[in-house]
Amino acid sequence: MTNATKTLALIFASTLALALATSWSWSTASSAAFQEQLLAVDTSAVQAVHIERSSRPSIRLAQTDSGWRVSPGDTSATYPAGTRAVDRLLGAVPSLEVSAVATRQPDKHPRYGVDSTGTTVTMLGDGGEALGTLIVGRTRVRRPQSGSGGPSQNRLRQRRRRGTPVTYVRPPDRPDVYSIEQSLRSVTARTVEDWRDKTIWGLARSDIRRIDLRYPADSSFTMRRVAASDTAAAPDAWVSAGDTLSQTGVSSMLRVLASPRADGFAESTAPDDFGKAQYEVRLHLTDGSRRSIRLRPAPDAQQYLAVADGLPYVVELQSGSWDRSVLRGRSALVESR
């Protein structure tokens, strides 16, 4: 073997060893990524969440003595935040599991939306320190795969179901982009209004004993719950002026009135400037307390503006839903014989 041949053989062996070492290193990093959470955060320590978006205003969620509150990034105003929405955020983001490594090349970050155009979600502790940060990029829906393959490929296709949303994410301190089989639009696409608590009040339906409905002209009426007389197992009946009311109609009304929710907020109108209501619904409860909500048509006629006891702002309600379920005339509720 000539010296030149020996030199080439040595170069080849060195190159092969380097390639194997690099491959082993990447494989180890990939395995580690699949074994650990992307955002390993103790949610009990989270006191605030900052959501920063390139094309839309940033949002801040903060925990207070009275519960979670939401505000624009500049904290110009704060509002009670919806508890369920915050719970879903804290339950979903820290528990994300990697499905695959999409790329390790920084120049491909724009392709997956995990560059400056992505949404950065940062969880903060009691002192404002960052507990964990994740950049959320684009979401796509997996298309059906065609072609034949071996048993292992078929099993992989079965696991990766058709129509599954795939979102690309990246920790800011790593170049690696990971895919997760989940949509995070409930986090990235929400506005401040979407995060706000839309619950007007929450009651048990069984606690509502009487409902006064004040309508224009002479169409107002009152309906009362009366205990069933034939058997204790029978449901209570509702009556109005001696007439028994339809159980289906009353049930639909109680479903809305026990836990009414706003569809939006009329920021330009203060409760003190609400004006004259066209409708009023007053609930009388078993403990002697009352709840009332007053409504009037909004200018677009597709919604009602409403104010309720103890609510510090005017809310918007979909008129179609309330017309069908609550604001019905007495004759529409009387049980047909």
Side-chain angles (χ1 to χ4, degrees):
M1 180 179 292
T2 64
N3 290 335
T5 304
K6 291 179 180 179
T7 301
L8 289 173
L10 181 61
I11 293 173
F12 174 77
S14 300
T15 304
L16 179 61
L18 179 61
L20 290 174
T22 303
S23 175
W24 179 85
S25 176
W26 281 18
S27 176
T28 302
S30 176
S31 297
F34 276 79
Q35 291 170 1
E36 66 183 22
Q37 292 177 321
L38 284 170
L39 198 64
V41 173
D42 178 7
T43 55
S44 65
V46 176
Q47 295 297 308
V49 181
H50 190 248
I51 304 171
E52 188 173 3
R53 302 170 290 185
S54 61
S55 59
R56 306 173 72 179
S58 60
I59 291 172
R60 181 179 177 85
L61 297 160
Q63 191 165 194
T64 68
D65 293 339
S66 59
W68 283 88
R69 297 186 70 85
V70 61
S71 64
D74 60 6
T75 64
S76 56
T78 63
Y79 310 96
T83 303
R84 286 183 293 180
V86 176
D87 287 345
R88 282 195 295 268
L89 165 64
L90 296 178
V93 176
S95 62
L96 295 176
E97 295 182 356
V98 174
S99 173
V101 178
T103 185
R104 291 189 174 90
Q105 302 179 31
D107 60 345
K108 292 186 178 180
H109 288 175
R111 173 182 176 183
Y112 297 99
V114 291
D115 57 348
S116 61
T117 64
T119 299
T120 302
V121 181
T122 304
M123 297 193 173
L124 306 169
D126 190 33
E129 73 281 7
L131 303 178
T133 302
L134 192 67
I135 301 174
V136 181
R138 293 190 175 91
T139 296
R140 67 175 179 85
V141 177
R142 179 178 289 116
R143 296 178 181 176
Q145 296 180 342
S146 59
S148 59
S152 61
Q153 290 180 336
N154 290 334
R155 286 195 295 271
L156 180 61
R157 292 194 185 105
Q158 290 174 2
R159 288 200 304 269
R160 296 180 175 179
R161 301 177 302 278
R162 298 177 180 181
T164 300
V166 175
T167 302
Y168 298 101
V169 299
R170 178 176 70 86
D173 57 348
R174 301 183 203 169
D176 299 354
V177 179
Y178 306 108
S179 66
I180 58 171
E181 294 188 347
Q182 185 175 336
S183 172
L184 292 177
R185 287 188 58 80
S186 62
V187 176
T188 61
R190 282 180 177 268
T191 64
V192 170
E193 181 172 300
D194 294 331
W195 283 105
R196 289 178 64 175
D197 185 9
K198 294 182 171 63
T199 302
I200 298 174
W201 61 59
L203 305 170
R205 300 184 198 181
S206 59
D207 286 341
I208 302 175
R209 310 306 299 177
R210 180 178 125 194
I211 303 174
D212 298 330
L213 297 118
R214 299 289 180 254
Y215 292 167
D218 297 326
S219 54
S220 301
F221 67 99
T222 293
M223 46 192 289
R224 302 173 182 272
R225 184 193 297 267
V226 294
S229 57
D230 52 350
T231 171
D236 292 345
W238 282 81
V239 299
S240 176
D243 291 319
T244 301
L245 303 182
S246 164
Q247 196 172 66
T248 301
V250 173
S251 178
S252 177
M253 181 183 292
L254 291 176
R255 183 173 60 250
V256 175
L257 292 178
S259 301
R261 290 179 57 82
D263 294 296
F265 302 92
E267 298 291 357
S268 60
T269 305
D272 292 341
D273 302 324
F274 180 76
K276 185 177 180 181
Q278 183 169 340
Y279 304 99
E280 180 179 0
V281 181
R282 182 175 297 172
L283 311 181
H284 299 256
L285 309 180
T286 53
D287 62 1
S289 63
R290 298 184 299 183
R291 300 284 192 280
S292 66
I293 184 168
R294 297 183 295 125
L295 308 90
R296 65 176 175 84
D300 63 5
Q302 300 299 313
Q303 296 175 316
Y304 287 117
L305 300 182
V307 290
D309 294 340
L311 201 65
Y313 34 76
V314 178
V315 299
E316 298 169 342
L317 306 172
Q318 290 294 333
S319 58
S321 174
W322 277 72
D323 288 342
R324 288 190 302 270
S325 301
V326 179
L327 303 178
R328 306 174 66 188
R330 179 180 177 279
S331 58
L333 290 170
V334 174
E335 190 175 60
S336 60
R337 302 182 183 279

